[in-house]
Structure formats: structure tokens, C-alpha cells
Amino acid sequence: MNEYMNLTIENIDQEHICCAIGDPKHQKGVDSKKEWIKSKLNDGHVFRKLNARGKIFIEYEPIETAWVPIHGKNYEYIYCLWVAGSFKGKGIAKELLEYAINDSKEKGMSGICTLTSKKKKPFIGEKKFFEHYGFKVVDRIGEYELLALQFDENETPRFHDNARHMKIDCQEFTIYYSNECPYVEYEVNELSNYAKENNIKINFIKIDSLEKAKNAPCILNNWANFYKGEFVSNTILNANSFSKIIN
């Protein structure tokens, strides 16, 4: 039988958070992510993981306080559901999702939702997996789709209007990011150094509050790239991938 645990203010400093596990270059990002989780626990943030050394977890919280440009009432929002490596194919993703669904029902929520896409994209859930459990598309922006599993007849969540434009006024390469993901700190630093060394301008905008997250000008889970005012992707970039985009 699989053994799971939820992160709490009492155990989070001693426990790993699955992402970037065992990679010392991302330690600063891990520390920032833990501080972000600590600040969200009172909002009802849940980080549940398999009690094992691996990338096996689900992370969710009420939509009202979730750092995404989505509005709704009495829904849980799943940030991430990740089962990697040798842990795949053992029913762990099913158990994690069922826990979140049952937890939401016990809390009297109206449903649970998450971000997916028509085509597979990094750091976004697989649409078919959620559809298997009854999730349905309730809103979309381009290839990005908001899936929801409804428990009652209350209104379903929707993307904020500000996120639908997927455009900004700034023409420089612009990256929106937040500490929701432990990988971003290292890559922001690497890209900053690369830009300085090559005399390239990159505009970094850190999402560090609920207000900024809700008013983001695009789909945002933890990272978004813009160039010449247009949304490029949600892919977390390093110096090499950035240079390929620019060229």
C-alpha cells in the first residue's frame, strides 16, 4: 500500500518538495518554493506527496487564492500533478487525484479544476487523464484549456479577461515568473547573466502577490515568455533555449 504525506508548517523544512530533488544548483529555488508554500498553507494550500524520494505529488488550493488568472467560487485549483520515472504506471496519479477530489467534496467545494492544453505542453497536466475522471472543458484561450469536475450546479471557473489577450505593450523579450516552481530562480539568474554578457535586454517581471497573479496578461502557472508583445510559450527557458528562440 502506498504511503502519502501532506506538507505542514511543522514538517516542510525537513521534507523534500519533489521538484528539483537532489540537484544542488536549484537549492535556492527549492528554498523559495518552500517559503511560498508556507505563506499559502493558511489559504488551504495542499501539497501531498508519496513518502518516497521522487517527483510524485499533487498540489492544489481554493481558486479564490490560487496564483492563476482564473476566477471562480468554491472550487479547488490543481497547480500540478506529477508522477515521474519508475513510479509511473502504478496507479499513484489515480490515488493522488482521487484524494484531491474526495478532499474537495469533504470541504463542501463545488468542484475542482486545472489547466491543460490541446497539445502536450511542459508543466501542464495531460488532458486525457483528467477527462477520464469526468473533467470537462469549461473555458479556453487558444490551445490552453480550463478543465473542471463539477460537484453541484454552481457556476464554473473562467479565465480572467486580462489573460485572454496574451499580449503586452513591451516589445522587449519579457518573462513573467513566480516562485510556484523551484526551477525558476536558477534559470532567471542564468538568463540574466547571459543577457548581460551578450548585451541583450530581457525584461523580468516577478509575480509575487495574488493580485499580480490574478491580473497576469496571459495563461500563467509559473512562467510565461513574450517577445515583441506577443505570447511565445510557457516553457521555462535556459540560456541555450533562449538563444534558439531569439535566433
Side-chain angles (χ1 to χ4, degrees), residues 26 68 82 91 96 120 122 144 159 170 172 179 203 225 242:
H26 290 298
V68 286
W82 195 1
L96 287 169
K120 178 62 178 173
Y144 295 91
F159 290 116
C170 182
E172 299 166 346
N179 288 128
N203 187 30
N225 302 302
F242 171 77

Side-chain angles (χ1 to χ4, degrees), residues 8 31 108 148 173 182 211 231 237:
T8 66
D31 293 341
F173 200 100
E211 181 180 8
F231 177 79
L237 302 176

Side-chain angles (χ1 to χ4, degrees), residues 83 85-92:
V83 177
S86 62
F87 294 95
K88 288 184 176 181
K90 298 180 179 180
I92 295 173

Side-chain angles (χ1 to χ4, degrees), residues 213-239:
K214 290 297 187 187
N215 290 291
C218 62
I219 300 299
L220 179 73
N221 227 27
N222 48 51
W223 186 288
N225 302 302
F226 284 86
Y227 188 46
K228 295 183 179 180
E230 301 286 339
F231 177 79
V232 177
S233 72
N234 69 299
T235 303
I236 297 177
L237 302 176
N238 56 26

Side-chain angles (χ1 to χ4, degrees), residues 68-175:
V68 286
I70 299 170
H71 65 87
K73 184 177 181 181
N74 207 39
Y75 269 72
E76 295 280 4
Y77 175 79
I78 300 172
Y79 287 99
C80 190
L81 170 57
W82 195 1
V83 177
S86 62
F87 294 95
K88 288 184 176 181
K90 298 180 179 180
I92 295 173
K94 173 179 179 291
E95 292 177 353
L96 287 169
L97 181 58
E98 288 180 346
Y99 175 89
I101 292 171
N102 292 332
D103 184 40
S104 300
K105 289 180 177 179
E106 290 174 3
K107 292 173 178 174
M109 308 300 280
S110 297
I112 187 168
C113 63
T114 194
L115 179 66
T116 64
S117 58
K118 293 179 182 178
K119 295 181 180 179
K120 178 62 178 173
K121 295 183 182 295
F123 301 99
I124 291 181
E126 294 186 14
K127 180 180 178 180
K128 289 183 178 180
F129 176 78
F130 288 99
E131 286 182 324
H132 179 75
Y133 292 92
F135 284 71
K136 296 181 179 179
V137 176
V138 294
D139 201 3
R140 59 169 53 89
I141 301 175
E143 291 187 350
Y144 295 91
E145 298 178 325
L146 181 62
L147 265 62
L149 178 63
Q150 292 181 260
F151 305 149
D152 58 33
E153 298 301 319
N154 281 356
E155 184 179 351
T156 55
R158 290 288 185 272
F159 290 116
H160 274 206
D161 289 340
N162 49 267
R164 297 184 187 280
H165 301 296
M166 305 288 276
K167 294 182 179 181
I168 59 175
D169 293 331
C170 182
Q171 296 298 297
E172 299 166 346
F173 200 100
T174 300
I175 296 173

